[in-house]
Amino acid sequence: MIDKKGRVFHCQSQEEITYHTANHNQQSIGVCLIGDFTKESLTDFQKKAALAFIRFLAKEREIPIANVRGHNEYKGHGSSLCPGISMKGFRGQLREKHLLPLLKRGARGEEVKFLQQALVKKGFDPKGIDGMFGPLTEKAVVDFQRANNLFIDGIVGPYTWFSLGL
Protein backbone atom coordinates (compact mmCIF):
# COMPACT_ATOMS: atom_id res chain seq x y z
CA MET A 1 0.00 0.00 0.00
CA ILE A 2 1.36 3.46 -0.91
CA ASP A 3 -0.10 6.50 0.80
CA LYS A 4 -0.24 10.09 -0.45
CA LYS A 5 3.08 10.91 1.25
CA GLY A 6 4.78 8.14 -0.73
CA ARG A 7 5.19 5.83 2.25
CA VAL A 8 5.18 2.16 1.31
CA PHE A 9 3.48 -0.17 3.77
CA HIS A 10 3.98 -3.92 3.47
CA CYS A 11 0.67 -5.32 4.72
CA GLN A 12 1.39 -8.97 3.97
CA SER A 13 4.29 -11.08 2.82
CA GLN A 14 4.60 -11.35 -0.96
CA GLU A 15 4.20 -15.09 -0.63
CA GLU A 16 0.84 -14.77 1.14
CA ILE A 17 -2.18 -15.03 -1.16
CA THR A 18 -4.50 -12.14 -0.38
CA TYR A 19 -7.62 -10.66 -1.91
CA HIS A 20 -7.03 -7.78 -4.29
CA THR A 21 -8.27 -8.84 -7.75
CA ALA A 22 -10.85 -11.65 -7.72
CA ASN A 23 -9.78 -14.80 -9.58
CA HIS A 24 -6.25 -13.46 -10.14
CA ASN A 25 -4.76 -13.48 -6.65
CA GLN A 26 -2.56 -16.56 -6.92
CA GLN A 27 -0.43 -15.24 -9.78
CA SER A 28 -0.24 -11.55 -8.91
CA ILE A 29 1.00 -9.09 -6.30
CA GLY A 30 -1.40 -6.33 -5.28
CA VAL A 31 -0.12 -2.80 -4.80
CA CYS A 32 -2.75 -0.39 -3.52
CA LEU A 33 -2.42 3.34 -4.11
CA ILE A 34 -4.44 5.28 -1.54
CA GLY A 35 -6.91 7.72 -3.10
CA ASP A 36 -9.82 8.09 -5.49
CA PHE A 37 -8.01 8.73 -8.76
CA THR A 38 -11.23 9.37 -10.64
CA LYS A 39 -11.40 12.62 -8.60
CA GLU A 40 -7.77 13.38 -7.80
CA SER A 41 -4.28 12.71 -9.13
CA LEU A 42 -1.43 10.76 -7.62
CA THR A 43 0.76 12.99 -5.48
CA ASP A 44 4.35 13.38 -6.68
CA PHE A 45 5.49 11.39 -3.63
CA GLN A 46 3.02 8.62 -4.42
CA LYS A 47 3.95 8.47 -8.10
CA LYS A 48 7.69 8.31 -7.42
CA ALA A 49 7.25 5.71 -4.69
CA ALA A 50 4.93 3.60 -6.87
CA LEU A 51 7.29 3.73 -9.84
CA ALA A 52 10.32 2.89 -7.68
CA PHE A 53 8.58 0.14 -5.70
CA ILE A 54 6.96 -1.53 -8.71
CA ARG A 55 10.19 -1.31 -10.71
CA PHE A 56 11.98 -2.96 -7.78
CA LEU A 57 9.33 -5.71 -7.49
CA ALA A 58 9.42 -6.32 -11.24
CA LYS A 59 13.19 -6.72 -11.18
CA GLU A 60 13.23 -8.83 -8.00
CA ARG A 61 10.42 -11.14 -9.18
CA GLU A 62 11.43 -11.10 -12.88
CA ILE A 63 8.05 -9.70 -13.89
CA PRO A 64 8.02 -8.12 -17.36
CA ILE A 65 6.81 -4.51 -17.29
CA ALA A 66 4.16 -5.53 -19.84
CA ASN A 67 2.60 -7.68 -17.08
CA VAL A 68 2.14 -4.75 -14.68
CA ARG A 69 -1.61 -4.15 -14.80
CA GLY A 70 -4.37 -2.17 -13.19
CA HIS A 71 -7.52 -3.86 -11.85
CA ASN A 72 -9.56 -2.85 -14.88
CA GLU A 73 -7.14 -4.70 -17.19
CA TYR A 74 -7.98 -8.10 -15.70
CA LYS A 75 -10.66 -10.29 -17.19
CA GLY A 76 -13.94 -9.70 -15.42
CA HIS A 77 -12.87 -6.31 -14.06
CA GLY A 78 -13.24 -4.09 -17.14
CA SER A 79 -15.97 -2.01 -15.55
CA SER A 80 -13.75 -1.15 -12.57
CA LEU A 81 -12.49 2.42 -12.47
CA CYS A 82 -9.44 1.27 -10.52
CA PRO A 83 -6.69 2.39 -10.75
CA GLY A 84 -7.99 5.58 -12.35
CA ILE A 85 -4.69 6.28 -14.13
CA SER A 86 -3.45 5.34 -17.58
CA MET A 87 -1.66 2.06 -17.10
CA LYS A 88 -0.16 2.34 -20.58
CA GLY A 89 1.43 5.64 -19.54
CA PHE A 90 2.47 4.18 -16.19
CA ARG A 91 4.15 1.20 -17.89
CA GLY A 92 5.96 3.65 -20.16
CA GLN A 93 7.30 5.49 -17.14
CA LEU A 94 8.37 2.19 -15.56
CA ARG A 95 10.53 1.56 -18.64
CA GLU A 96 12.31 4.94 -18.35
CA LYS A 97 15.89 4.65 -17.23
CA HIS A 98 16.25 7.59 -14.85
CA LEU A 99 13.26 7.92 -12.56
CA LEU A 100 15.17 9.07 -9.53
CA PRO A 101 17.58 12.01 -9.76
CA LEU A 102 21.23 12.26 -8.90
CA LEU A 103 21.32 14.03 -5.52
CA LYS A 104 24.24 15.60 -3.71
CA ARG A 105 25.00 18.24 -1.11
CA GLY A 106 23.15 21.46 -1.92
CA ALA A 107 20.12 19.75 -3.51
CA ARG A 108 16.69 20.80 -2.25
CA GLY A 109 13.11 19.73 -2.72
CA GLU A 110 10.71 16.81 -2.66
CA GLU A 111 13.25 14.31 -4.01
CA VAL A 112 15.52 15.09 -1.07
CA LYS A 113 12.62 14.54 1.36
CA PHE A 114 11.97 11.20 -0.36
CA LEU A 115 15.65 10.30 0.10
CA GLN A 116 15.62 11.37 3.74
CA GLN A 117 12.53 9.23 4.42
CA ALA A 118 14.22 6.23 2.77
CA LEU A 119 17.37 6.74 4.83
CA VAL A 120 15.35 6.86 8.06
CA LYS A 121 13.56 3.61 7.10
CA LYS A 122 16.98 1.96 6.66
CA GLY A 123 18.21 3.23 10.05
CA PHE A 124 20.37 6.14 8.84
CA ASP A 125 18.79 9.24 10.32
CA PRO A 126 19.73 12.55 8.62
CA LYS A 127 18.34 14.33 11.72
CA GLY A 128 15.26 15.67 10.00
CA ILE A 129 13.18 15.42 6.87
CA ASP A 130 13.41 18.97 5.61
CA GLY A 131 14.15 18.61 1.88
CA MET A 132 17.64 20.08 2.21
CA PHE A 133 20.68 17.94 1.34
CA GLY A 134 23.08 19.42 3.86
CA PRO A 135 25.95 17.97 5.90
CA LEU A 136 23.70 15.75 8.06
CA THR A 137 21.98 14.18 5.05
CA GLU A 138 25.38 13.75 3.39
CA LYS A 139 26.70 12.00 6.52
CA ALA A 140 23.67 9.68 6.55
CA VAL A 141 24.27 8.88 2.85
CA VAL A 142 27.99 8.23 3.42
CA ASP A 143 27.22 5.98 6.40
CA PHE A 144 24.60 4.11 4.35
CA GLN A 145 27.02 3.69 1.44
CA ARG A 146 29.75 2.42 3.76
CA ALA A 147 27.41 -0.06 5.48
CA ASN A 148 26.24 -1.40 2.10
CA ASN A 149 29.69 -1.70 0.50
CA LEU A 150 28.93 0.98 -2.08
CA PHE A 151 31.32 3.54 -3.52
CA ILE A 152 31.51 6.19 -0.80
CA ASP A 153 31.07 9.64 -2.29
CA GLY A 154 28.02 11.07 -0.52
CA ILE A 155 26.22 11.30 -3.87
CA VAL A 156 22.93 9.45 -4.37
CA GLY A 157 22.94 7.83 -7.79
CA PRO A 158 21.44 4.63 -9.24
CA TYR A 159 23.37 2.19 -7.01
CA THR A 160 22.53 4.05 -3.81
CA TRP A 161 18.86 4.41 -4.81
CA PHE A 162 18.71 0.69 -5.63
CA SER A 163 20.39 -0.26 -2.35
CA LEU A 164 17.79 1.85 -0.56
CA GLY A 165 15.21 -0.42 -2.22
CA LEU A 166 14.08 2.21 -4.73
Side-chain angles (χ1 to χ4, degrees):
M1 184 167 47
I2 303 174
D3 73 4
K4 292 178 184 293
K5 293 182 180 179
R7 295 177 296 190
V8 178
F9 298 92
H10 299 266
C11 301
Q12 286 93 16
S13 137
Q14 291 176 27
E15 285 72 32
E16 187 177 341
I17 298 172
T18 61
Y19 183 84
H20 59 92
T21 305
N23 301 318
H24 299 280
N25 296 319
Q26 290 188 353
Q27 69 275 10
S28 63
I29 299 171
V31 177
C32 176
L33 302 172
I34 303 297
D36 180 353
F37 303 113
T38 61
K39 297 177 182 172
E40 58 189 330
S41 298
L42 290 173
T43 65
D44 285 340
F45 288 130
Q46 215 170 11
K47 182 177 182 182
K48 287 176 184 173
L51 288 167
F53 182 61
I54 293 170
R55 177 182 270 171
F56 173 78
L57 278 178
K59 183 172 182 164
E60 181 182 75
R61 297 292 184 144
E62 298 179 358
I63 302 167
I65 297 301
N67 289 355
V68 175
R69 301 184 209 157
H71 282 138
N72 60 8
E73 295 179 297
Y74 282 93
K75 186 178 180 179
H77 296 272
S79 64
S80 172
L81 297 176
C82 187
I85 59 172
S86 164
M87 287 305 296
K88 183 177 180 181
F90 190 78
R91 284 188 288 271
Q93 290 177 320
L94 283 171
R95 290 183 182 101
E96 291 176 10
K97 297 285 182 204
H98 303 288
L99 289 175
L100 296 168
L102 186 71
L103 295 177
K104 60 184 178 179
R105 193 170 183 169
R108 294 172 165 253
E110 299 302 319
E111 289 90 357
V112 177
K113 284 184 181 179
F114 186 66
L115 165 65
Q116 291 168 328
Q117 290 171 346
L119 287 165
V120 168
K121 287 179 187 175
K122 294 290 184 176
F124 297 86
D125 188 359
K127 307 297 184 220
I129 298 174
D130 58 7
M132 294 186 289
F133 197 131
L136 297 175
T137 297
E138 184 178 51
K139 180 183 180 329
V141 169
V142 166
D143 292 347
F144 176 80
Q145 289 172 331
R146 182 175 292 114
N148 287 275
N149 298 313
L150 299 171
F151 183 73
I152 301 167
D153 59 2
I155 297 172
V156 181
Y159 294 109
T160 303
W161 283 120
F162 182 79
S163 295
L164 283 164
L166 304 170

